[in-house]
Amino acid sequence: MDGSGLSPGLRAGSVREPAPPRVVYEQEGVFIHSSCGKNDDQDSLIAGILRVIEKENEVVVDWRPLDETLDTSNILCAGKDSSSVVEWTQTPKEKCSRGADRPSSYEAEWDMVTTVSFKKKPHSNGDATTHANGESEWSFLFSLADLKSIKQNKEGMGWSYLVFCLKDDVKLPALHFHRGDSKPLIKCLEKHIALNESPHDERVLLVKTQKSLSQSFENLFDEPSYGLLQKWKKDPYIVTMGKFSKVTNYIVGSLRSSDTSNQRRPPSEMADFLNDTIPGLKINQQEEPGFEVITRGLCHTLRKEAWKFLLGYFPWNSTKEERANLQKRKTDEYFRMKLQWKSVSEEQEKRNSRLRDYRSLIEKDVNRTDRTNKFYEGEDNPGLILLHDILMTYCMYDFDLGYVQGMSDLLSPVLYVMENEVDAFWCFVSYMDQMHQNFEEQMQGMKTQLIQLSHLLRLLDSGFCSYLESQDSGYLYFCFRWLLIRFKREFSFQDILRLWEVMWTELPCQNFHLLLCCAILESEKQQIMDKHYGFNEILKHINELSMKIDVEYILCKAEAISMQMMNCKELPQTVSEILGIENSSVTTGEDESGAELSCPTSLYQSVSTPVIAANGTRDGAQQTAETQSLA
């Protein structure tokens, strides 16, 4: 009691203090084996303390070295939400970056975090945050809500070790227990999460989600009544709905597996569900029966998976298990190639002029690639480090080509989407398979594309072609940059993601990027001809279009051109081969009256409305419907 007559815990206006964090497990002598030692044949041992800490709203696993330097810029941290990306940064002075570049002593486990993103500002919603006094380079902290699996060592392989795998398959560095074993830790974790042995690998313990759902039900009203009452007074709707959502999570999880016959939702309900789940996605259900046409681009999460298929990294007919095995092989292959250039000493590099030139050019280009993008801005950015490392490793993959200026422009969006060093590398390899000839010394790919573009442009508008030839621009060299790096510097970064994934589908035809060139030129033709631009003015005008082109408009116009050509009955064989149109659709044909159908003298004249049939019989309603579907 005090002068107020109330005990300290019951004073008017007092607020219940949150319970302090409680350490429920602590183990010293837990080591990370890095490859940063002076001797490349030995691991450098980093001793640390492993703790499991109970907080008010979550349980976290925390490892930190004994001699940590307390630097907040170097923390490996995973937020509570499963979509968060683990970040691994390094001190600028350290030459050893992000863990081991080679397999460990026990098995082919690469102790390197290969995912990069940017730390979020501390929130009050339970997300794991950086410590106020900082962390050392090797520290990490994650919530058990983010844990996907735990891999244990084989029996009889020396001291025990564990590898934590978080959601999105991000692996943390292996923790080696030099004092005692890891069983007490597993027992501690099982008090908070359910762990089941994987049917495919007895060493892997999988986190069972059902227990976490049931715990939501059990803890429905676990908040002290005082705190709950205060929250309810402030916003009764949100608090009540939040509590009922916990019940819903439990019930849905329990019933989902009980009746398989009712799991299939009607199309309209699934469309509503997808619209709510994926922001910005619109589904047109009024199309042909059996099809749902997506009329907007992919969200970031879906794009990360879709690009692996579009670029050919994942086979379309592969199973989940086959893809997991492929990634494991490709991870090992990648780091073996990376180790090749990482292990070259300064003395060796002095006698290797090609590698030295590659490195110099890569360092220059990386430092000026997409630096205004948040993923690559600032000094000592981890995104820049990965951009550099992937390009250097590609030199080992294809030493004949090595690195050519412009390749960093192709890699940058791929790395941004993948957020993973290994996946980004192999997707880039697949992309370079398509673009390889653009960067070869003879540049045969560029020559071929310029000739093909000239054929298409002449068919579409012979008058415009004649004008360009009169101004010494008939070779279309002003389109060189468009073709070399697939419009990378002509559109905004987000528009390029949209544009590239459309081109990779090879729909509606092959070499669709050439029709995009035609669509842009058609849009600028009037100004070029009316103002009598010469060679220099044309080049200047085309260069100044950068970041001023409407990507959706150009996509619609290019698709309209492709549909015009597909409807032509006398399409030149050269053009049909460029666009990959079947011969049956380009041979001379007749309509019902017996009159021959042919292409108009200038196809550009008929694409002001996005789609008009070659025979001119489409009505306005059809044109309107087609225009809406072109996006």
Side-chain angles (χ1 to χ4, degrees), residues 381-448:
N381 186 300
L384 294 179
I385 296 170
L386 292 189
L387 200 66
H388 170 273
D389 288 1
I390 292 172
L391 292 171
M392 284 296 297
T393 305
Y394 185 82
C395 293
M396 300 295 105
Y397 174 83
D398 188 347
F399 207 85
D400 288 339
L401 179 64
Y403 178 79
V404 181
Q405 191 172 15
M407 288 166 59
S408 62
D409 282 289
L410 299 184
L411 172 60
S412 171
V414 175
L415 177 57
Y416 170 84
V417 168
M418 291 298 129
E419 299 178 307
N420 180 286
E421 184 176 7
V422 175
D423 289 343
F425 173 81
W426 291 110
C427 286
F428 176 65
V429 166
S430 297
Y431 197 11
M432 280 302 301
D433 288 344
Q434 303 175 24
M435 306 291 290
H436 200 279
Q437 286 191 323
N438 283 13
F439 296 95
E440 293 173 359
E441 188 173 358
Q442 301 301 319
M443 304 198 78
Q444 187 57 48
M446 293 301 302
K447 296 175 184 176
T448 300

Side-chain angles (χ1 to χ4, degrees), residues 523-557:
S523 301
E524 303 303 319
K525 174 188 71 172
Q526 202 67 37
Q527 181 173 344
I528 290 173
M529 296 182 70
D530 288 353
K531 294 188 176 181
H532 306 289
Y533 284 166
F535 178 88
N536 291 330
E537 289 84 4
I538 293 173
L539 185 62
K540 181 176 182 291
H541 178 72
I542 295 298
N543 285 337
E544 289 176 348
L545 292 177
S546 177
M547 304 300 161
K548 300 176 183 177
I549 307 173
D550 185 332
V551 67
E552 295 298 335
Y553 172 76
I554 291 302
L555 282 171
C556 285
K557 184 179 284 288

Side-chain angles (χ1 to χ4, degrees), residues 175-242:
L175 296 179
H176 299 260
F177 291 74
H178 289 201
R179 302 175 189 172
D181 60 30
S182 58
K183 290 180 181 178
L185 172 63
I186 298 297
K187 289 182 179 180
C188 175
L189 297 180
E190 286 180 327
K191 295 178 182 178
H192 305 280
I193 54 175
L195 296 173
N196 290 337
E197 187 177 287
S198 169
H200 306 293
D201 188 343
E202 62 182 11
R203 295 176 298 161
V204 176
L205 298 176
L206 302 176
V207 177
K208 186 179 179 181
T209 57
Q210 186 62 39
K211 183 172 182 179
S212 61
L213 290 174
S214 63
Q215 284 175 341
S216 295
F217 188 79
E218 294 166 2
N219 299 331
L220 178 60
F221 293 110
D222 60 354
E223 280 193 66
S225 58
Y226 178 82
L228 181 60
L229 181 62
Q230 294 302 312
K231 290 182 179 179
W232 192 87
K233 285 181 178 179
K234 290 181 180 179
D235 196 331
Y237 178 81
I238 290 179
V239 172
T240 304
M241 290 301 103

Side-chain angles (χ1 to χ4, degrees), residues 498-516:
R498 169 92 167 98
L499 193 70
W500 281 6
E501 63 198 11
V502 169
M503 291 190 292
W504 292 336
T505 65
E506 297 187 354
L507 295 172
C509 61
Q510 70 181 30
N511 285 318
F512 185 61
H513 67 287
L514 298 179
L515 296 186
L516 291 170

Side-chain angles (χ1 to χ4, degrees), residues 34 53 99 114 148 214 245 316 385 409 618:
S34 77
I53 305 170
T114 59
K148 178 182 178 181
S214 63
S245 71
W316 286 100
I385 296 170
D409 282 289
R618 303 239 176 154

